[in-house]
Amino acid sequence: MKLGEKIRYLREVEGSLRGLGRPMTQLELVRAIREELGKGQSGKGRADKGSSDKQKTLSQSYLSQIENGARPHMTQSSRALLAKFFKVHPGFLVDDPDGYHAELTSDLRTTEGQLDVWLLQGSERFARDPEVSQVLIKAAREKDTRRALLLLGAILDTPGLADRLLEALRPELGASGNHHRSASAEGRRIR
């Protein structure tokens, strides 16, 4: 996993832990670091010469560069600050070497991690559609993501099952979904 993916994942987890129902934005992260780790710091004329945490903040543009890969590495002080904020080991905040696995895993587990990252990235892309975004996050959090996606495929392969399930589980979507689908089908037949 790349450093940018790890930070996006940590922002997603932190947003969930804070009850936001979405990932923390980069700006929210910068503000939270400033407020929570910079407590007691006036920022003017005060220098903790003996402190190992000299840097008390990051900029949103710096985070953006890290996340999009324009800046492949962080400074040691930035890494220490983010590790302290997210409560992770600083060694986590580096790119994993190609083929690296934290534990003895199969190719299937590697697929799980890739699916989870892909789904979390998708949830960010669909932030304007909160329902779809939340479903992607739920799928990524599922213990066996691959199995959940295979189940979805089996449901969609079974004629009529998706409509029946939607009608039973989310009746408000079932009726509008069928109406939309039949209206578009009628439109195709007329033309």
Side-chain angles (χ1 to χ4, degrees), residues 83-135:
K84 185 175 181 180
F85 179 80
F86 286 123
K87 296 174 180 65
V88 297
H89 190 278
F92 175 75
L93 295 173
V94 295
D95 285 352
D96 292 334
D98 290 336
Y100 172 78
H101 304 289
E103 56 193 46
L104 293 177
T105 58
S106 67
D107 288 340
L108 185 59
R109 183 63 214 156
T110 302
T111 300
E112 276 293 308
Q114 291 171 350
L115 284 172
D116 292 345
V117 168
W118 179 71
L119 288 166
L120 290 172
Q121 290 172 342
S123 74
E124 291 177 13
R125 289 189 183 108
F126 287 93
R128 290 186 178 168
D129 188 341
E131 284 185 311
V132 170
S133 181
Q134 283 302 311
V135 168

Side-chain angles (χ1 to χ4, degrees), residues 22-174:
R22 60 171 173 74
M24 282 185 89
T25 65
Q26 292 172 347
L27 194 53
E28 288 171 332
L29 175 59
V30 168
R31 288 178 182 152
I33 289 171
R34 189 175 299 133
E35 291 170 7
E36 295 171 26
L37 298 183
K39 288 180 181 171
Q41 299 291 322
S42 68
K44 293 182 181 178
R46 182 169 179 200
D48 290 333
K49 293 182 181 178
S51 173
S52 62
D53 285 333
K54 292 180 183 176
Q55 181 179 353
K56 295 291 182 188
T57 191
L58 301 170
S59 70
Q60 183 273 328
S61 61
Y62 182 81
L63 278 173
S64 179
Q65 290 172 358
I66 294 293
E67 286 189 26
N68 70 27
R71 181 183 289 264
H73 306 287
M74 284 191 287
T75 64
Q76 185 175 353
S77 58
S78 296
R79 182 175 293 108
L81 186 65
L82 283 171
K84 185 175 181 180
F85 179 80
F86 286 123
K87 296 174 180 65
V88 297
H89 190 278
F92 175 75
L93 295 173
V94 295
D95 285 352
D96 292 334
D98 290 336
Y100 172 78
H101 304 289
E103 56 193 46
L104 293 177
T105 58
S106 67
D107 288 340
L108 185 59
R109 183 63 214 156
T110 302
T111 300
E112 276 293 308
Q114 291 171 350
L115 284 172
D116 292 345
V117 168
W118 179 71
L119 288 166
L120 290 172
Q121 290 172 342
S123 74
E124 291 177 13
R125 289 189 183 108
F126 287 93
R128 290 186 178 168
D129 188 341
E131 284 185 311
V132 170
S133 181
Q134 283 302 311
V135 168
L136 293 172
I137 291 170
K138 286 177 188 177
R141 289 181 180 157
E142 185 65 29
K143 184 177 180 182
D144 191 343
T145 307
R146 182 177 182 278
R147 184 170 175 244
L149 290 174
L150 293 175
L151 172 62
L152 175 61
I155 290 169
L156 295 174
D157 283 343
T158 306
L161 181 58
D163 290 333
R164 291 192 314 267
L165 285 172
L166 195 57
E167 189 175 312
L169 300 173
R170 298 281 309 269
E172 73 279 8
L173 295 178

